[in-house]
Amino acid sequence: MPKTIIDANRSILSLDLGELLKYKDLFYTLSYRDFKVKYAQTFLGFAWAFIQPFMTLVVFALVFSRGLQINTGGIPYTLFASCGLASWTYFSSVMGQAGASIIGAQGMVQKIYFPRLVIPLSKAVVGLIDFGIALLVIVILMLFYQFPPSANLVFLPFFIIMAMIASLGVGIWLSALTIRYRDFQHVIPFLLRFGMFFTPVAYPANLLIKRMPDWAAIIYYLNPVAGIIDGFRWSILGSEPPGMLAYISFGVIILLFTTSLFYFKKVERIIADIV
């Protein structure tokens, strides 16, 4: 019979990520449960995954394309915005759900032992479903506008992985912080509501960067999603390639993800006591 030893004195420098593999069945179960619950008891059900991004694209097209007449370099605006929206929607979805995941599962956390990291990680899988639908919408728009994919498409998996790491990094940090400071339950919706307008979702990043001093441009690209969106558009649509500033975003992503794992491990030993 397998034996599980829980050592409260284990160093936080020991992540022991291999332990997650022993609980892969729980990981799959939580992911499947979250997917079923997301659209349960709704009249339109799974159709909401298409309706929400479609309505956002309509608003963007009316405000930014018709109203502000933003130059997208010959790319149809709806197609241009859909690439940014796909990246942001995945990031915001995983960040929001992972951030509140431990509090939402406090009943299970207090009763049984399992790696608590399984809970926020499962949110990334559910987010991939909506992300896949967003990519399907992009394909449909490309067929509608007869816009061929870029030769840079081979780099798309890299930016998808970076989007997953970025959303998990922020989500794991927030899930750990929310345990101690419940104020973050109110901070997360605030960040998501205003964060989209400080991210190049509906407009090209160079529209702002060329009007900013160097220090402001660096601060702008501290946003981890900024570089990801530049990469998405470049790999799918062949727009301007990510500049040197995008590497700031990628560096922030790695830093957030790495530090989030260590901080979560530090808090994990007392989660059941304070949740």
Side-chain angles (χ1 to χ4, degrees), residues 120-131:
L121 287 178
S122 66
K123 307 301 179 183
V125 175
V126 180
L128 282 175
I129 298 172
D130 289 344
F131 184 67

Side-chain angles (χ1 to χ4, degrees), residues 141-148:
L141 289 173
M142 294 179 77
L143 293 174
F144 177 78
Y145 288 110
Q146 297 182 347
F147 194 94

Side-chain angles (χ1 to χ4, degrees), residues 199-270:
T199 305
V201 176
Y203 56 86
N206 60 12
L207 185 67
L208 293 180
I209 296 303
K210 64 184 180 182
R211 302 177 183 178
M212 290 180 175
D214 292 342
W215 63 267
I218 292 174
I219 292 176
Y220 183 83
Y221 270 91
L222 289 176
N223 179 351
V225 194
I228 293 173
I229 291 179
D230 286 351
F232 259 72
R233 288 181 175 140
W234 171 71
S235 59
I236 298 176
L237 306 177
S239 60
E240 290 188 16
M244 293 301 296
L245 289 172
Y247 289 96
I248 298 177
S249 289
F250 300 148
V252 169
I253 290 171
I254 300 302
L255 179 64
L256 282 172
F257 184 69
T258 304
T259 54
S260 71
L261 292 178
F262 284 107
Y263 183 74
F264 192 93
K265 278 294 180 181
K266 177 182 178 181
V267 177
E268 185 178 28
R269 66 187 67 184
I270 58 172

Side-chain angles (χ1 to χ4, degrees), residues 1 23 27 45 80 91 94 100 109 119 122 132 142-143 152 154 161 222 224 232 249 251 253-254 272:
M1 183 176 180
Y23 291 85
F27 175 79
F80 177 89
F91 175 81
V94 176
V109 168
I119 299 176
S122 66
M142 294 179 77
L143 293 174
N152 307 317
V154 293
I161 293 172
L222 289 176
F232 259 72
S249 289
I253 290 171
I254 300 302

